[in-house]
Amino acid sequence: MQALCDRGVKKIPDKYVKPVHDRPSAGNIVLSRHIPIIDMSKVDGDERPTVIQELRRACEEWGIFQVINHDFPESSMQSMMEMAHQFFELPAEKKMQFYRSDPSSGTRYGISYNADKEAILDWRDFLIQPCHPLSDDLVSTWPDIPPSYREIAKKYSMNIRTLALRLLAMLSESLGLYGEYLAGVLKEHEQKMLINHYPPCPQPDLTLGVSGHTDPNIITVLQQDDVGGLQVLRDGLWIAVDPIPNAFVIHMGDQMQIISNGKYPCVEHRAVVNSARTRYSIASFYGPSPDAIICPAPQLIDQDHPPQYLQVMYGDYLRAFWAKGPNKKAYIQSVLMQ
């Protein structure tokens, strides 16, 4: 990716050209629509019931929302985004120290989730790393360049976990479950951080930064920069999620759809690129530990609402999810009750 950009190519290689129906120029795009916004400063006061109701509506109707006034340190957000810039500005040979092609690897730099399965690539490169359970041994697997990367990424990951646990408690309450239900289902929990780098593209109408997909985890916490490029699929239209300064985008993953018995659908999303500006985003995937058993919450099942999904171990789900390659966005259908 960096070599292409350094050469100043005017035409993207064929391996980046998406099929016509998957291109952002396909005509089914709404430039912008208001994504629900949840003000977390109101959660702990008299307005909590109203906020929980707004959250329930956002999850049922959209599967995605943005949170503001979330108490996440702004300095941590800024520092982590600066680390993203500095890492991807490193010479290619330094980044390649962390290159791995196996999607089950721990910390890895790459250009594709599963290069062996994907004939057409996305216009981006990325760095992904496990963040929980956090330990010195785990941190030692992270990049040690830039020099302050590990320290800043560790603080950011701890702050993300705090926010994710608050959100899970709110989501549990919005489903009519006790506050610790979702956190309990996840057992030891799993947390990963993905830093996306989308360079300017000479033909952005022919490719995508990330193709349409859903996330296999329970919730994703996304920090955008000011460039924009995230789109979500709703009613057959791709809708742009405009960045809000110091906000996080929260969207539901496959496991939330299963646990909620379909009440809170996972949202298909993608990233578009542009010809003028580099875009960065930082996605934190929060989900179950591999040995967690995931199924619809019994409290949400009754005669009028039978279970829609089979019981599945999360580790098995993940292995099958990644094995499907570019069709992974449809994997949740495989655990539907027949």
Side-chain angles (χ1 to χ4, degrees), residues 5-51:
C5 296
D6 290 346
R7 292 203 308 267
V9 296
K10 302 300 181 184
K11 180 180 178 181
I12 64 174
D14 289 345
K15 65 181 178 180
Y16 291 99
V17 177
K18 300 292 182 181
V20 173
H21 63 276
D22 280 340
R23 296 176 189 173
S25 56
N28 60 341
I29 299 172
V30 174
L31 292 181
S32 182
R33 188 182 294 176
H34 290 298
I35 302 297
I37 297 173
I38 303 298
D39 186 347
M40 294 187 69
S41 68
K42 301 177 180 180
V43 172
D44 296 324
D46 294 339
E47 296 181 77
R48 183 180 183 90
T50 300
V51 176

Side-chain angles (χ1 to χ4, degrees), residues 269-285:
H269 54 286
R270 69 182 187 182
V272 297
V273 292
N274 68 85
S275 61
R277 297 181 63 188
T278 298
R279 176 178 179 251
Y280 294 87
S281 68
I282 305 171
S284 295
F285 305 117

Side-chain angles (χ1 to χ4, degrees), residues 78-121:
Q78 293 173 344
S79 296
M80 194 65 237
M81 188 61 75
E82 178 59 28
M83 285 296 99
H85 283 244
Q86 291 185 25
F87 179 84
F88 286 100
E89 289 168 359
L90 291 169
E93 61 269 18
K94 290 189 177 293
K95 295 195 290 284
M96 288 300 290
Q97 297 176 39
F98 308 101
Y99 177 79
R100 307 286 187 276
S101 60
D102 183 356
S104 65
S105 300
T107 298
R108 70 183 184 108
Y109 166 74
I111 59 171
S112 173
Y113 275 126
N114 193 342
D116 295 334
K117 295 282 186 179
E118 298 173 18
I120 301 176
L121 302 179

Side-chain angles (χ1 to χ4, degrees), residues 194-227:
L194 171 70
I195 306 175
N196 293 302
H197 169 242
Y198 306 98
C201 178
Q203 294 177 296
D205 57 328
L206 298 183
T207 191
L208 288 166
V210 176
S211 299
H213 66 286
T214 64
D215 292 343
N217 45 288
I218 188 165
I219 60 170
T220 298
V221 181
L222 178 73
Q223 178 181 344
Q224 299 197 82
D225 64 9
D226 64 340
V227 176

Side-chain angles (χ1 to χ4, degrees), residues 5-305:
C5 296
D6 290 346
R7 292 203 308 267
V9 296
K10 302 300 181 184
K11 180 180 178 181
I12 64 174
D14 289 345
K15 65 181 178 180
Y16 291 99
V17 177
K18 300 292 182 181
V20 173
H21 63 276
D22 280 340
R23 296 176 189 173
S25 56
N28 60 341
I29 299 172
V30 174
L31 292 181
S32 182
R33 188 182 294 176
H34 290 298
I35 302 297
I37 297 173
I38 303 298
D39 186 347
M40 294 187 69
S41 68
K42 301 177 180 180
V43 172
D44 296 324
D46 294 339
E47 296 181 77
R48 183 180 183 90
T50 300
V51 176
I52 296 300
Q53 184 177 5
E54 292 172 352
L55 178 64
R56 181 186 306 114
R57 187 179 308 115
C59 293
E60 290 177 343
E61 298 179 2
W62 285 85
I64 186 171
F65 53 91
Q66 299 204 58
V67 292
I68 59 173
N69 300 323
H70 39 62
D71 290 336
F72 194 107
E74 185 178 336
S75 60
S76 181
M77 298 177 72
Q78 293 173 344
S79 296
M80 194 65 237
M81 188 61 75
E82 178 59 28
M83 285 296 99
H85 283 244
Q86 291 185 25
F87 179 84
F88 286 100
E89 289 168 359
L90 291 169
E93 61 269 18
K94 290 189 177 293
K95 295 195 290 284
M96 288 300 290
Q97 297 176 39
F98 308 101
Y99 177 79
R100 307 286 187 276
S101 60
D102 183 356
S104 65
S105 300
T107 298
R108 70 183 184 108
Y109 166 74
I111 59 171
S112 173
Y113 275 126
N114 193 342
D116 295 334
K117 295 282 186 179
E118 298 173 18
I120 301 176
L121 302 179
D122 293 328
W123 190 265
R124 64 141 186 187
D125 52 355
F126 64 85
L127 175 70
I128 189 167
Q129 63 190 50
C131 299
H132 182 78
L134 199 58
S135 67
D136 290 342
D137 287 342
L138 181 64
V139 172
S140 71
T141 69
W142 297 353
D144 54 1
I145 48 176
S148 54
Y149 180 89
R150 289 180 178 175
E151 177 186 355
I152 289 172
K154 182 178 180 179
K155 290 179 180 177
Y156 186 88
S157 299
M158 293 170 66
N159 288 327
I160 284 288
R161 176 169 164 77
T162 298
L163 176 59
L165 291 174
R166 285 187 68 196
L167 288 166
L168 289 175
M170 293 168 59
L171 289 163
S172 291
E173 185 176 343
S174 72
L175 284 166
L177 306 170
Y178 63 88
E180 301 301 317
Y181 181 86
L182 290 175
V185 167
L186 306 186
K187 296 195 73 174
E188 299 303 317
H189 299 201
E190 182 178 80
Q191 180 183 340
K192 295 183 178 181
M193 178 168 66
L194 171 70
I195 306 175
N196 293 302
H197 169 242
Y198 306 98
C201 178
Q203 294 177 296
D205 57 328
L206 298 183
T207 191
L208 288 166
V210 176
S211 299
H213 66 286
T214 64
D215 292 343
N217 45 288
I218 188 165
I219 60 170
T220 298
V221 181
L222 178 73
Q223 178 181 344
Q224 299 197 82
D225 64 9
D226 64 340
V227 176
L230 175 65
Q231 296 179 343
V232 297
L233 187 64
R234 186 169 190 252
D235 299 330
L237 296 174
W238 287 103
I239 299 170
V241 181
D242 295 332
I244 297 175
N246 301 319
F248 284 103
V249 179
I250 314 297
H251 57 79
M252 304 297 102
D254 293 357
Q255 307 314 303
M256 182 65 79
Q257 181 165 324
I258 294 172
I259 295 170
S260 69
N261 203 36
K263 286 191 67 175
Y264 290 0
C266 57
V267 62
E268 186 173 342
H269 54 286
R270 69 182 187 182
V272 297
V273 292
N274 68 85
S275 61
R277 297 181 63 188
T278 298
R279 176 178 179 251
Y280 294 87
S281 68
I282 305 171
S284 295
F285 305 117
Y286 208 86
S289 55
D291 61 339
I293 303 299
I294 305 300
C295 63
Q299 298 91 326
L300 304 179
I301 304 301
D302 57 32
Q303 187 173 357
D304 296 325
H305 304 91

